[in-house]
Amino acid sequence: MLWKLVSANGRSAQGDEPSYSEFMSRVDDIKEVTLYLSPNSYELTGEYIQPANRRFHLTVPKEVVPDLLSQLREKSVLIRVKEVRTGDWTLILLNAAPLILLLGFCLFLMRQTQGKWRRTGVAIRGSPRTGIGYDLHRLEEGRPLIVGGIELPFDKGPVGHSDGDVLAHALCDALLGAAGLGDIGTHFPDTDPKWKGANSMLFLEHAKKLLDEKQFAIEHVDAVVITEKPKLGPHFPKMREALAKGLGVGAEKIHLKAKTNEGVDAIGRGEAIAAHVVATLTSR
């Protein structure tokens, strides 16, 4: 019995263990009692008048307690009622044991599940990171129009230090921004002659290399190109393939849209082309 090991005040207890009938036969000899409440039964401890300092302990059913307390009050016995033995750490630990076991079992299941994911090749990834990119180029006659890594049949093309691929440039900025790695101007300044007329796919390949070094994976790219002419929709499949190849991802991760500027400003007048891109990354 726990009461033998530790008493309410933390000291070892010595005393009688009378039956309920024996206890009731000695009600006149009771000096004080303490009733400890529990879900199914009550523990009763206390001290006799004679012999002095002799203690007792017994467990009583809940249904007899009202009558028991009535008789004790008639005998002017000092009665205390407590819900928990604050000094009985053994009892507290035993009551907490089911919760401790449950928490341990939950941790075990989590470790097993994580191990299963790793064995089956399912990646446990960090929070997603998002970057935005924007680029705009003036259009001039007689220059090739490169958009999304492919050349389109048109009488105008972008003015730029490299090939002026507005979609690739905006995509590069979005990827670098999501990874916190600066922008395209930081890595490929237009003051460096080696990038004069460079294929913008080289920029994307370099950005992908930087992402790999930082353990980032490309999850999704959503882009919109704004131009009055030419119609871009028929060329989207080839653009997606070219961009996906440059980034080393599946074409299904590249989503493209086209808009006009409704005749407003330089884009609306056919004097410029622009692109907006949002890229989503996750850490590996």
Side-chain angles (χ1 to χ4, degrees):
M1 301 291 287
L2 290 175
W3 76 279
K4 285 186 175 181
L5 299 175
V6 184
S7 68
N9 60 11
R11 297 176 297 182
S12 60
Q14 297 291 335
D16 297 336
E17 294 184 62
S19 66
Y20 178 67
S21 58
E22 292 172 340
F23 172 78
M24 294 304 295
S25 67
R26 297 191 59 181
V27 168
D28 292 336
D29 297 328
I30 303 301
K31 179 181 179 181
E32 63 178 24
V33 298
T34 301
L35 186 66
Y36 295 102
L37 308 182
S38 61
N40 300 316
S41 61
Y42 293 159
E43 287 187 64
L44 202 66
T45 64
E47 184 178 337
Y48 295 114
I49 298 174
Q50 292 294 334
N53 299 322
R54 186 66 178 178
R55 300 190 62 81
F56 60 85
H57 168 271
L58 71 155
T59 301
V60 297
K62 295 175 65 173
E63 56 269 17
V64 305
V65 170
D67 181 60
L68 170 62
L69 293 179
S70 176
Q71 295 191 47
L72 292 173
R73 290 190 184 98
E74 289 180 2
K75 302 297 182 179
S76 299
V77 176
L78 176 62
I79 301 173
R80 301 184 183 92
V81 179
K82 297 184 179 180
E83 292 188 1
V84 178
R85 300 189 190 194
T86 55
D88 193 344
W89 290 105
T90 304
L91 182 60
I92 294 173
L93 289 175
L94 287 176
N95 287 334
L99 179 59
I100 295 172
L101 290 174
L102 178 60
L103 290 175
F105 182 66
C106 291
L107 290 174
F108 171 76
L109 287 180
M110 290 174 60
R111 294 292 298 273
Q112 290 293 104
T113 303
Q114 290 177 352
K116 182 179 179 180
W117 286 345
R118 293 189 182 99
R119 289 192 296 272
T120 56
V122 178
I124 302 173
R125 298 187 174 182
S127 300
R129 299 166 63 106
T130 302
I132 60 173
Y134 169 75
D135 195 30
L136 179 144
H137 284 280
R138 289 185 295 109
L139 295 175
E140 285 188 358
E141 292 185 0
R143 299 180 65 91
L145 178 59
I146 310 295
V147 181
I150 67 172
E151 184 174 349
L152 306 181
F154 196 56
D155 59 352
K156 293 181 181 180
V159 176
H161 186 66
S162 63
D163 62 6
D165 188 335
V166 67
L167 177 54
H169 293 181
L171 174 53
C172 192
D173 263 355
L175 294 172
L176 294 172
L181 296 172
D183 60 14
I184 193 171
T186 303
H187 298 273
F188 310 102
D190 58 11
T191 55
D192 191 337
K194 77 175 181 178
W195 303 119
K196 180 67 175 178
N199 186 331
S200 295
M201 291 298 102
L202 295 176
F203 302 164
L204 290 181
E205 291 171 3
H206 181 73
K208 179 59 164 55
K209 181 180 178 181
L210 295 177
L211 296 182
D212 290 341
E213 291 174 356
K214 294 293 185 178
Q215 296 295 305
F216 286 117
I218 299 172
E219 294 297 329
H220 187 67
V221 169
D222 189 27
V224 55
V225 182
I226 309 171
T227 183
E228 294 299 306
K229 293 180 180 180
K231 293 293 185 181
L232 300 182
H235 304 286
F236 279 166
K238 289 185 178 180
M239 289 184 192
R240 294 175 64 210
E241 291 179 6
L243 295 172
K245 182 179 179 181
L247 295 175
V249 299
E252 72 280 357
K253 293 191 175 183
I254 311 293
H255 186 238
L256 304 178
K257 302 185 292 290
K259 299 290 182 181
T260 69
N261 225 35
E262 300 294 336
V264 178
D265 65 33
I267 296 177
R269 294 191 298 269
E271 299 171 0
I273 183 172
H276 297 266
V277 178
V278 175
T280 301
L281 310 179
T282 54
S283 57
R284 295 173 180 171

